[in-house]
Amino acid sequence: MRQQLFFEKRGVWRIELSTFRQYAGWHDKVNRCQYEAPSDPWRLVEIPPEEVTYFASELRLNYGMGRVQGGDWDRGGSHRRMRESTLYRSLEQYFLNDVPWEETGLYERAAQQIKTTGQFRGYEILDAFRQVRCEYIDDLYRSISETGYRPNAAAGHEQATDNAFESTYANHLEPLVLVGRDGDIFLTEGSHRFTIASLLELESIPVNVLCRHVEWQQIRDRIAVASGDTFPEDLDAYHGHPDLSDITSC
Protein backbone atom coordinates (compact mmCIF):
# COMPACT_ATOMS: atom_id res chain seq x y z
CA MET A 1 0.00 0.00 0.00
CA ARG A 2 3.07 2.27 0.01
CA GLN A 3 2.24 3.74 -3.40
CA GLN A 4 -1.33 4.54 -2.36
CA LEU A 5 -0.11 6.20 0.83
CA PHE A 6 2.34 8.29 -1.22
CA PHE A 7 -0.46 9.50 -3.50
CA GLU A 8 -2.75 10.23 -0.56
CA LYS A 9 -0.01 12.18 1.25
CA ARG A 10 0.48 14.38 -1.82
CA GLY A 11 -3.24 14.90 -2.32
CA VAL A 12 -3.32 13.35 -5.78
CA TRP A 13 -7.02 12.65 -5.40
CA ARG A 14 -9.84 13.34 -2.93
CA ILE A 15 -10.57 16.68 -4.56
CA GLU A 16 -12.65 17.72 -7.55
CA LEU A 17 -11.16 19.64 -10.45
CA SER A 18 -13.64 22.44 -9.76
CA THR A 19 -12.31 22.78 -6.20
CA PHE A 20 -8.74 22.74 -7.50
CA ARG A 21 -9.69 25.62 -9.83
CA GLN A 22 -11.21 27.55 -6.92
CA TYR A 23 -7.96 27.25 -4.98
CA ALA A 24 -6.04 28.49 -8.03
CA GLY A 25 -8.36 31.49 -8.25
CA TRP A 26 -7.77 32.32 -4.61
CA HIS A 27 -3.97 32.14 -5.08
CA ASP A 28 -4.31 34.43 -8.09
CA LYS A 29 -6.15 37.08 -6.08
CA VAL A 30 -3.62 36.96 -3.23
CA ASN A 31 -0.65 37.09 -5.59
CA ARG A 32 -2.03 40.12 -7.43
CA CYS A 33 -2.19 41.97 -4.13
CA GLN A 34 1.29 40.98 -2.96
CA TYR A 35 3.53 40.89 -6.04
CA GLU A 36 4.46 43.09 -8.97
CA ALA A 37 4.55 40.29 -11.53
CA PRO A 38 2.08 37.57 -10.58
CA SER A 39 1.54 34.98 -13.28
CA ASP A 40 -1.82 33.72 -14.49
CA PRO A 41 -2.06 30.34 -12.72
CA TRP A 42 -3.40 28.74 -15.91
CA ARG A 43 -0.72 30.15 -18.21
CA LEU A 44 1.10 27.37 -20.03
CA VAL A 45 4.87 27.65 -19.89
CA GLU A 46 6.91 26.03 -22.66
CA ILE A 47 9.91 24.23 -21.21
CA PRO A 48 12.59 22.08 -22.89
CA PRO A 49 12.43 18.61 -21.28
CA GLU A 50 16.23 18.52 -21.24
CA GLU A 51 16.25 21.37 -18.71
CA VAL A 52 14.42 19.27 -16.11
CA THR A 53 16.63 16.95 -14.12
CA TYR A 54 14.78 16.23 -10.89
CA PHE A 55 11.38 15.09 -9.70
CA ALA A 56 10.29 16.83 -6.47
CA SER A 57 7.46 15.53 -4.31
CA GLU A 58 7.66 17.77 -1.24
CA LEU A 59 4.54 19.81 -2.00
CA ARG A 60 0.95 18.63 -2.03
CA LEU A 61 -0.79 18.84 -5.37
CA ASN A 62 -4.38 19.52 -4.36
CA TYR A 63 -4.08 23.10 -3.09
CA GLY A 64 -4.36 24.66 -6.53
CA MET A 65 -1.92 26.10 -9.01
CA GLY A 66 -0.14 29.42 -9.01
CA ARG A 67 1.10 29.18 -5.44
CA VAL A 68 4.00 31.24 -4.14
CA GLN A 69 5.62 29.56 -1.17
CA GLY A 70 8.84 29.84 0.78
CA GLY A 71 10.75 27.12 2.58
CA ASP A 72 13.32 24.56 1.52
CA TRP A 73 11.08 22.42 -0.70
CA ASP A 74 13.34 23.26 -3.66
CA ARG A 75 16.36 21.92 -1.79
CA GLY A 76 14.80 18.79 -0.45
CA GLY A 77 16.87 15.69 0.04
CA SER A 78 14.14 13.54 -1.48
CA HIS A 79 14.53 14.91 -5.02
CA ARG A 80 14.97 12.09 -7.52
CA ARG A 81 16.76 12.15 -10.84
CA MET A 82 14.09 11.80 -13.51
CA ARG A 83 16.15 9.76 -15.93
CA GLU A 84 17.17 7.25 -13.29
CA SER A 85 13.61 6.38 -12.31
CA THR A 86 12.06 2.98 -13.00
CA LEU A 87 9.43 4.62 -15.19
CA TYR A 88 11.89 6.52 -17.36
CA ARG A 89 14.23 3.58 -17.80
CA SER A 90 11.33 1.23 -18.56
CA LEU A 91 9.86 3.46 -21.25
CA GLU A 92 13.35 3.97 -22.66
CA GLN A 93 13.82 0.20 -22.82
CA TYR A 94 10.45 -0.42 -24.40
CA PHE A 95 10.28 2.40 -26.96
CA LEU A 96 13.94 2.82 -27.89
CA ASN A 97 15.43 -0.64 -27.32
CA ASP A 98 12.48 -2.91 -28.23
CA VAL A 99 12.40 -4.58 -24.81
CA PRO A 100 8.97 -6.21 -24.21
CA TRP A 101 6.79 -4.63 -21.52
CA GLU A 102 7.01 -7.86 -19.52
CA GLU A 103 10.80 -7.47 -19.21
CA THR A 104 10.81 -3.86 -18.02
CA GLY A 105 11.26 -2.69 -14.45
CA LEU A 106 7.84 -1.03 -14.53
CA TYR A 107 6.11 -4.31 -15.30
CA GLU A 108 8.16 -6.12 -12.67
CA ARG A 109 7.19 -3.48 -10.11
CA ALA A 110 3.53 -3.84 -11.04
CA ALA A 111 3.72 -7.61 -10.68
CA GLN A 112 5.46 -7.39 -7.30
CA GLN A 113 3.07 -4.82 -5.83
CA ILE A 114 -0.04 -6.64 -7.06
CA LYS A 115 1.33 -9.78 -5.44
CA THR A 116 2.26 -8.17 -2.12
CA THR A 117 -0.36 -5.42 -1.70
CA GLY A 118 -3.17 -6.46 -4.02
CA GLN A 119 -2.95 -3.54 -6.46
CA PHE A 120 -0.71 -1.26 -8.50
CA ARG A 121 -2.04 2.13 -9.65
CA GLY A 122 -5.52 0.77 -8.98
CA TYR A 123 -5.05 -2.41 -11.02
CA GLU A 124 -5.66 -5.60 -9.08
CA ILE A 125 -4.88 -7.96 -11.97
CA LEU A 126 -1.56 -7.90 -13.79
CA ASP A 127 -3.16 -8.69 -17.14
CA ALA A 128 -5.38 -5.64 -16.75
CA PHE A 129 -2.35 -3.46 -16.11
CA ARG A 130 -0.72 -4.88 -19.24
CA GLN A 131 -3.79 -4.62 -21.46
CA VAL A 132 -5.09 -1.25 -20.25
CA ARG A 133 -2.29 0.84 -18.79
CA CYS A 134 0.53 -0.30 -21.05
CA GLU A 135 -1.69 0.04 -24.12
CA TYR A 136 -2.56 3.58 -23.03
CA ILE A 137 1.14 4.45 -22.80
CA ASP A 138 1.63 2.91 -26.25
CA ASP A 139 -1.15 5.07 -27.67
CA LEU A 140 0.16 8.19 -25.96
CA TYR A 141 3.65 7.67 -27.36
CA ARG A 142 2.27 7.00 -30.84
CA SER A 143 0.08 10.10 -30.72
CA ILE A 144 2.87 12.43 -29.60
CA SER A 145 5.31 10.88 -32.05
CA GLU A 146 2.96 11.25 -35.04
CA THR A 147 1.16 14.53 -34.33
CA GLY A 148 3.42 16.27 -31.83
CA TYR A 149 2.76 17.20 -28.23
CA ARG A 150 -0.53 18.98 -27.75
CA PRO A 151 -2.07 20.21 -24.48
CA ASN A 152 -4.44 17.71 -22.90
CA ALA A 153 -7.57 19.66 -23.70
CA ALA A 154 -6.65 19.96 -27.38
CA ALA A 155 -5.36 16.43 -27.75
CA GLY A 156 -8.38 14.83 -26.12
CA HIS A 157 -6.34 12.03 -24.57
CA GLU A 158 -8.61 9.52 -22.87
CA GLN A 159 -7.30 8.10 -19.63
CA ALA A 160 -6.57 4.41 -19.50
CA THR A 161 -9.40 3.56 -17.13
CA ASP A 162 -11.65 5.11 -14.54
CA ASN A 163 -9.86 3.69 -11.49
CA ALA A 164 -8.88 6.10 -8.72
CA PHE A 165 -5.30 6.47 -9.94
CA GLU A 166 -6.19 7.23 -13.54
CA SER A 167 -9.16 9.55 -13.13
CA THR A 168 -7.72 12.14 -10.73
CA TYR A 169 -7.92 15.87 -11.44
CA ALA A 170 -4.14 15.95 -12.10
CA ASN A 171 -4.63 13.84 -15.21
CA HIS A 172 -6.77 16.62 -16.73
CA LEU A 173 -3.91 19.12 -16.46
CA GLU A 174 -0.59 19.50 -18.18
CA PRO A 175 2.53 18.18 -16.46
CA LEU A 176 2.95 20.16 -13.26
CA VAL A 177 6.26 21.79 -12.36
CA LEU A 178 7.75 23.75 -9.50
CA VAL A 179 10.16 26.67 -9.93
CA GLY A 180 12.79 26.93 -7.22
CA ARG A 181 14.43 30.04 -5.79
CA ASP A 182 17.22 29.95 -8.38
CA GLY A 183 14.90 29.29 -11.32
CA ASP A 184 15.47 25.53 -11.31
CA ILE A 185 12.48 23.66 -12.73
CA PHE A 186 11.32 20.44 -11.03
CA LEU A 187 8.71 18.04 -12.36
CA THR A 188 6.15 17.14 -9.73
CA GLU A 189 3.35 15.43 -11.72
CA GLY A 190 2.98 14.14 -15.29
CA SER A 191 5.96 11.80 -15.48
CA HIS A 192 4.59 9.68 -18.33
CA ARG A 193 4.08 12.61 -20.72
CA PHE A 194 7.35 14.21 -19.67
CA THR A 195 9.25 10.96 -20.21
CA ILE A 196 7.76 10.42 -23.65
CA ALA A 197 8.55 14.01 -24.67
CA SER A 198 12.11 13.55 -23.43
CA LEU A 199 12.58 10.24 -25.25
CA LEU A 200 11.30 11.83 -28.46
CA GLU A 201 13.72 14.72 -27.90
CA LEU A 202 11.01 17.35 -28.29
CA GLU A 203 12.24 20.93 -28.14
CA SER A 204 9.62 21.94 -25.57
CA ILE A 205 6.35 20.95 -23.96
CA PRO A 206 3.62 23.01 -22.26
CA VAL A 207 3.46 22.73 -18.47
CA ASN A 208 1.51 24.28 -15.65
CA VAL A 209 3.44 25.87 -12.77
CA LEU A 210 2.05 24.49 -9.53
CA CYS A 211 4.24 26.62 -7.27
CA ARG A 212 7.02 29.21 -7.39
CA HIS A 213 9.46 29.79 -4.57
CA VAL A 214 8.91 33.20 -3.01
CA GLU A 215 12.50 34.17 -3.82
CA TRP A 216 11.96 33.34 -7.48
CA GLN A 217 8.78 35.42 -7.45
CA GLN A 218 10.84 38.31 -6.09
CA ILE A 219 13.22 37.88 -9.03
CA ARG A 220 10.25 38.01 -11.40
CA ASP A 221 9.13 41.22 -9.69
CA ARG A 222 12.52 42.88 -10.02
CA ILE A 223 12.74 42.02 -13.71
CA ALA A 224 9.17 43.15 -14.36
CA VAL A 225 9.64 46.60 -12.85
CA ALA A 226 12.93 47.14 -14.70
CA SER A 227 12.43 48.71 -18.10
CA GLY A 228 14.11 48.28 -21.46
CA ASP A 229 17.89 48.26 -21.14
CA THR A 230 17.85 48.34 -17.33
CA PHE A 231 17.56 44.56 -16.91
CA PRO A 232 19.27 44.03 -13.53
CA GLU A 233 22.87 43.05 -14.19
CA ASP A 234 22.95 40.61 -11.28
CA LEU A 235 20.00 38.77 -12.85
CA ASP A 236 21.45 38.61 -16.34
CA ALA A 237 21.85 34.85 -16.07
CA TYR A 238 18.06 34.52 -16.18
CA HIS A 239 17.72 35.94 -19.70
CA GLY A 240 15.60 33.48 -21.67
CA HIS A 241 14.26 31.58 -18.66
CA PRO A 242 10.94 29.92 -19.67
CA ASP A 243 9.07 31.31 -16.67
CA LEU A 244 9.93 34.89 -17.63
CA SER A 245 8.35 34.79 -21.07
CA ASP A 246 5.24 36.61 -19.84
CA ILE A 247 7.17 39.61 -18.49
CA THR A 248 10.11 39.98 -20.87
CA SER A 249 10.91 39.30 -24.48
CA CYS A 250 14.55 38.54 -23.66
Side-chain angles (χ1 to χ4, degrees):
M1 299 297 288
R2 185 174 62 180
Q3 184 186 52
Q4 182 171 343
L5 290 174
F6 172 78
F7 278 97
E8 289 181 343
K9 181 179 179 180
R10 298 202 65 208
V12 173
W13 59 70
R14 303 190 187 284
I15 183 176
E16 298 294 330
L17 182 60
S18 59
T19 303
F20 184 83
R21 289 183 179 276
Q22 289 176 356
Y23 281 139
W26 182 82
H27 294 307
D28 188 36
K29 290 181 179 178
V30 172
N31 292 342
R32 290 183 184 279
C33 292
Q34 293 185 342
Y35 303 107
E36 296 289 340
S39 181
D40 179 345
W42 296 101
R43 180 177 70 92
L44 295 181
V45 178
E46 291 283 338
I47 64 165
E50 64 184 18
E51 292 188 7
V52 180
T53 301
Y54 292 98
F55 180 91
S57 60
E58 282 79 4
L59 300 183
R60 290 181 64 88
L61 301 178
N62 60 337
Y63 292 152
M65 287 192 300
R67 284 175 261 167
V68 175
Q69 183 174 328
D72 289 332
W73 53 263
D74 60 334
R75 294 180 175 174
S78 62
H79 293 172
R80 292 171 286 165
R81 289 185 175 274
M82 285 293 309
R83 291 163 183 81
E84 295 178 3
S85 69
T86 297
L87 174 66
Y88 194 99
R89 289 181 170 176
S90 295
L91 268 60
E92 183 177 45
Q93 288 178 315
Y94 178 75
F95 290 115
L96 301 188
N97 300 322
D98 296 324
V99 175
W101 277 121
E102 291 78 4
E103 296 178 17
T104 65
L106 180 64
Y107 193 88
E108 293 176 4
R109 174 181 290 178
Q112 181 63 27
Q113 289 201 17
I114 288 174
K115 179 180 179 180
T116 58
T117 71
Q119 64 84 25
F120 178 76
R121 289 189 65 94
Y123 297 95
E124 298 178 353
I125 301 174
L126 187 59
D127 283 346
F129 172 80
R130 173 64 180 85
Q131 295 172 12
V132 180
R133 183 63 188 175
C134 293
E135 286 300 318
Y136 167 74
I137 298 174
D138 265 327
D139 291 341
L140 185 61
Y141 184 92
R142 187 180 306 111
S143 173
I144 295 175
S145 177
E146 294 176 354
T147 64
Y149 192 105
R150 294 182 293 161
N152 262 344
H157 294 308
E158 295 293 335
Q159 295 305 314
T161 182
D162 61 356
N163 73 42
F165 286 84
E166 310 293 7
S167 60
T168 66
Y169 64 91
N171 284 320
H172 297 279
L173 306 171
E174 298 313 311
L176 299 177
V177 302
L178 314 173
V179 184
R181 72 192 71 194
D182 297 320
D184 295 325
I185 299 175
F186 305 91
L187 185 70
T188 193
E189 177 64 22
S191 297
H192 291 82
R193 284 166 287 164
F194 172 86
T195 296
I196 290 173
S198 180
L199 293 176
L200 290 171
E201 299 183 343
L202 300 187
E203 290 186 4
S204 67
I205 60 171
V207 300
N208 290 122
V209 178
L210 183 76
C211 183
R212 294 173 176 84
H213 196 281
V214 65
E215 293 183 27
W216 174 250
Q217 182 59 51
Q218 291 166 354
I219 289 174
R220 280 177 52 90
D221 289 352
R222 287 185 58 199
I223 293 173
V225 299
S227 60
D229 297 331
T230 61
F231 194 98
E233 291 186 3
D234 61 318
L235 301 180
D236 191 63
Y238 298 120
H239 272 293
H241 190 284
D243 193 44
L244 299 178
S245 63
D246 59 330
I247 59 175
T248 178
S249 59
C250 297

